[in-house]
Structures are given as structure tokens and as C-alpha cells.
Amino acid sequence: LSHDFHGGISASDPMPCSPPQTLSTRRQLYERDFPLYQRPVEIGCFSLDLERRFFNDARQLRYYVEPEHHPNFNLRDGYRDRYVKRDDGVKERIDHILRWILANRSKLRPSETAAASSPPRVLGVEFVTWRGHLTKLLTTPYETREGWLLAVTRLHGTLYMSEVETEAARQERQTRTARHQEMMYWGYKFEQYTCAATAGGRPDQGGVVNTNEAFCTVVRTQLASHRLLFSGEVDCRDPHPSAPPAPFCYLELKTSAEICTPKQRSNFHRYKLLKWWAQSFLPGVPRIIAGFRDDDGVVVAVETYETSKISQLIKNEYNCWKPTVCMNFCSEFLSFVKTVVREDNPRVVYLFSWEPHREVSYSIHRDTDYCFLPDWYVKEITS
Ligand code: 0WD
Ligand code: CA
């Protein structure tokens, strides 16, 4: 590392050295043994209904229905007349996770001994965030196009992390072509073709696709020395009664352009499988079902990828991504955050920012629009 950074400083040190100002994202720095990553444990789940209302239960969980050998899925069907799109201008930040925490506080209280030995942490975890934010961290050493902004606030010893949309991402979102907007629908339509509302039920191919609806798992795990609580949206589960318990019964659904050339195959391995692997590895989702579609949105093949075998699959690619680099970088980033974010104050945000070919840096913001812990949460968790 360019700076002497070992993550040994804690917020409670009486005379801490000044923390490092930046963190390198160079791959070579993270090529070492795979860090500890504890088997993720599902500690709860929640659902968002068709009006995006929160429920502390699994009512939105869907069940996988295996497609026929030659399915006839037209992903364009219903785009004009049976599509209710979530308003992506509404920033929910980590509010749903906070709602889940308040509804499940009793499960989260640290043991008396743990509370006595270290600064009192209300939750018994050090980080609270979305799985999607961690996915971005995992893929950072290999990302060459899109930067990110992560807001972090320390409250009662727990570090809350919530993404902030970059200016480039906002531009991209507001200037999408009609074609791109339609293609964003295709993934949700594939879910509708392959999921049922009940175990043993049939998909409702003629129904409305409403992207407000979601089922999210909440998992607890540990990366190196970091105790994490995160939530991720889950597409469906294995309907079989003998399927393993959550999160190992969950399935991730994806669509991707059909692969016709060696170049396309290589790009798929190098870029797309990295993102797919990182996203599903984090919560312990064991299988990814991919629908390959042509340019007209017709699914031409359906393949299953086992998350644990993806890194083997890509080993023949020249200079390809490595899971250990992803996990070690994420772990070092979390150590960096722990040393930097010292003030325990819901009105202070440490904004970590990264652009491709740069180092991670941060700035500090007091009483600004970056604040993301709502008053209802701070009040309730403090009482
Ligand atoms: O507003 C934001 N910037 C974010 C909102 C950033 C990250 C997440 N979220 C919300 C989403 O609305 C969703 O309810 O969090 C939930 C999902 O969290 P996650 O599981 O941590 O996110 P991620 O792993 O990035 O995405 C999982 C799925 C996606 O599946 P695919 O197969 O496309 O990766 O969640 C959906 C999507 O189906 N999803 C979203 N849906 C609507 N708006 C969004 C979004 N911004 N992000 C992910
Ligand atoms: Ca998906």
C-alpha cells in the first residue's frame, strides 16, 4: 500500500495517529490469501408491496418455475400496457433496512458481555448497508467506467453506509434512450416468466410487471474482522420442500445478450460474470439462472451458473478478475472507513468517493443534505 495502512487504529484510541487520507484500488495490492468470509446467516427478511410499502415478512417471496426446454419468452411483451415502473427519482437510501432494524431490535441486541467489553453498540454489528453497495466495493479494483460515492455515518458505534448518486449516474439515468429504457424492463419480464407467487403455482405471464415490489433478505456475516449486516433483493427461491434453508435456497435471475462470438464470450466472462458472482456470493445465493436473449428480446437459451464455480469458469481468460482481490479490497476499505469515521454523530457524513484510475478519498460534511439517518430512526434507536 502507498501509505502505511494496517487498520489498527480504532475510534476509541486516546491519542490516535492521523488516519490515512486515501486508499489505493490497485489490484496487485490485494492479491493474497482469501480473507475470512463467514457463511452468511439470514436473520430476517422484508417485503415491499406494489406501492413500495414496507412489511416485516416474506409476502413478496416468489417461487422458481423451471422453463421448458425451448421456452417461448418474449421479453418485450407488456412493456407498453402492463408495466408499472418504480420512480427511481425517489431516493430511499437505507430507510427500508432501518425500518427492518427497528422492527427487529430484540434480535439484534448484543450480549451483555459484548456490550460491556467494547463501546456500546446498539446492534452488535459494525456495518449496516445494502448488498448492492458491497457489490460495488468488491468490483472496484476491476471497474474502469463508473465511480461511486458512499456516505457513512457513525451512530452508537455502528457504521451506516448509503450510496449517493454520482453526477454521471444521474446524467445517465435522465438521458436513457427509449431502447435502453425498454431493455431495463426485460429483466423484470424474465422474472415474471419464471416465478410464481406460491410453491407449485404457475407464472402469471399476462399480469402486470410492477417494479415497486421486492423481497429482501437480511443477512449477518463477517468479512475479516468486520461484522456486517446487509440486505439484498432476492428474486425467488427453490420451491422444493427439501431445498436448503435460506439464504441457500435463493436463486438470482439474470438476462444477458446471447453469446455469438469468442469476443462476446470473453467480455461476458470478464465483466458480467464478475458482477454476477460478487452480487450472489455476498448473501450466499448459490445459483444464478441466466436467460440469454436476442436483440428482439426473445429468450434463446436458459443456463444455470453455480456461484461457487464461476471463478473456475473464468480462469482461462487472460488477466482475469480474482475473487480474492475483490474480497481483500472490500475488507481494506471497511478498515479504512473504521479509522476515518470517528465522530459518532447522526448529523455528520463522511463521503467516500472513487473514480476509475484514482484512489479512494473522502470529505466530511456536517448538517448537509448528505445526512441520511432519518430523525425517526435516530430517536427510536437512541431510546
Ligand atoms: O436508490 C438507489 N440508488 C438504490 C436502491 C441502490 C441500491 C439498492 N436500492 C434498492 C432497490 O430499489 C431495491 O429495493 O435496494 C433494493 C435492492 O438492493 P440490493 O439487492 O442491495 O441491490 P442490487 O444487488 O444492486 O440489486 C438487486 C436487484 C436488481 O437485480 P439485478 O438482477 O438487476 O441485479 O434489485 C433491483 C434489481 O432487480 N434493483 C433496483 N430496482 C429498482 N431501482 C434498483 C433500483 N435502483 N437497484 C437494484
Ligand atoms: Ca435479478
Side-chain angles (χ1 to χ4, degrees):
L1 291 165
S2 58
H3 50 264
D4 185 22
F5 178 64
H6 302 292
I9 308 161
S10 88
S12 56
D13 285 347
M15 285 291 287
C17 329
S18 63
Q21 294 300 301
T22 62
L23 177 70
S24 173
T25 62
R26 284 176 50 221
R27 295 164 204 174
Q28 308 88 293
L29 297 172
Y30 303 99
E31 295 212 10
R32 46 186 139 91
D33 287 350
F34 200 83
L36 168 89
Y37 191 67
Q38 197 184 75
R39 206 173 139 84
V41 176
E42 180 176 76
I43 54 172
C45 63
F46 59 86
S47 295
L48 304 174
D49 75 356
L50 70 185
E51 292 175 47
R52 206 74 183 164
R53 287 175 301 204
F54 174 95
F55 294 90
N56 183 31
D57 58 42
R59 69 183 65 192
Q60 293 289 354
L61 174 59
R62 293 176 298 176
Y63 297 81
Y64 183 60
V65 179
E66 192 160 345
E68 291 166 31
H69 193 57
H70 287 291
N72 185 23
F73 296 160
N74 174 8
L75 303 179
R76 307 185 78 157
D77 179 49
Y79 178 64
R80 299 269 162 231
D81 55 321
R82 299 192 321 279
Y83 180 27
V84 177
K85 189 179 166 298
R86 187 183 83 99
D87 180 353
D88 55 13
V90 176
K91 296 299 171 224
E92 302 175 324
R93 308 200 267 201
I94 59 168
D95 288 6
H96 295 307
I97 305 177
L98 301 179
R99 280 186 194 100
W100 181 89
I101 288 173
L102 290 186
N104 296 275
R105 277 182 80 171
S106 53
K107 292 188 200 173
L108 291 164
R109 286 231 176 258
S111 69
E112 291 302 316
T113 48
S117 61
S118 52
R121 266 187 210 100
V122 180
L123 302 176
V125 294
E126 296 166 303
F127 289 92
V128 170
T129 194
W130 281 111
R131 175 269 310 270
H133 301 359
L134 296 172
T135 305
K136 284 195 181 176
L137 290 171
L138 259 62
T139 59
T140 294
Y142 298 105
E143 179 63 49
T144 58
R145 287 195 279 210
E146 289 168 15
W148 46 253
L149 290 169
L150 267 181
V152 183
T153 290
R154 185 187 281 266
L155 179 63
H156 301 311
T158 297
L159 294 151
Y160 296 84
M161 300 202 295
S162 179
E163 186 178 31
V164 173
E165 188 173 43
T166 62
E167 192 52 36
R170 189 187 59 81
Q171 290 257 346
E172 193 277 332
R173 177 166 60 83
Q174 292 177 338
T175 58
R176 279 178 195 140
T177 62
R179 167 88 177 166
H180 187 184
Q181 290 188 47
E182 183 180 334
M183 287 172 70
M184 290 176 63
Y185 167 80
W186 293 1
Y188 296 106
K189 184 64 188 178
F190 182 64
E191 294 175 11
Q192 191 192 51
Y193 277 122
T194 53
C195 293
T198 57
R202 299 304 307 169
D204 176 21
Q205 307 186 353
V208 171
V209 170
N210 185 325
T211 60
N212 288 298
E213 294 177 89
F215 167 78
C216 296
T217 179
V218 181
V219 306
R220 195 190 330 229
T221 185
Q222 187 166 328
L223 169 58
S225 62
H226 311 297
R227 283 176 292 153
L228 318 177
L229 180 157
F230 60 82
S231 175
E233 193 172 323
V234 169
D235 293 325
C236 60
R237 62 159 290 158
D238 181 338
H240 207 270
S242 66
F248 307 104
C249 60
Y250 292 147
L251 300 173
E252 173 64 36
L253 302 172
K254 293 289 184 198
T255 55
S256 195
E258 67 176 316
I259 295 166
C260 304
T261 67
K263 180 78 185 156
Q264 286 170 345
R265 174 166 304 273
S266 174
N267 283 337
F268 174 74
H269 285 174
R270 297 173 71 88
Y271 305 109
K272 205 154 238 182
L273 280 185
L274 164 60
K275 294 194 173 166
W276 290 7
W277 171 81
Q279 182 188 42
S280 286
F281 177 77
L282 281 163
V285 172
R287 279 180 292 160
I288 302 165
I289 315 286
F292 290 95
R293 49 89 192 152
D294 65 19
D295 284 343
D296 298 324
V298 173
V299 172
V300 295
V302 177
E303 306 275 0
T304 301
Y305 293 89
E306 286 187 45
T307 310
S308 64
K309 292 189 180 158
I310 287 177
S311 65
Q312 289 299 321
L313 212 64
I314 54 123
K315 280 220 165 106
N316 289 331
E317 296 292 339
Y318 171 73
N319 200 11
C320 204
W321 57 275
K322 295 191 178 86
T324 196
V325 169
C326 301
M327 298 303 282
N328 282 317
F329 171 74
C330 184
S331 168
E332 290 297 327
F333 175 78
L334 298 177
S335 297
F336 181 57
V337 169
K338 276 185 187 168
T339 69
V340 166
V341 182
R342 286 150 177 235
E343 187 170 342
D344 200 302
N345 184 339
R347 303 202 318 275
V348 175
V349 164
Y350 292 72
L351 187 65
F352 291 83
S353 61
W354 178 74
E355 285 297 329
H357 315 294
R358 300 252 182 287
E359 306 201 311
V360 180
S361 62
Y362 68 91
S363 52
I364 305 176
H365 306 264
R366 201 172 291 271
D367 288 315
T368 66
D369 287 344
Y370 289 124
C371 287
F372 63 89
L373 289 180
D375 288 339
W376 52 260
Y377 181 75
V378 176
K379 219 182 244 170
E380 187 72 22
I381 207 80
T382 305
S383 67

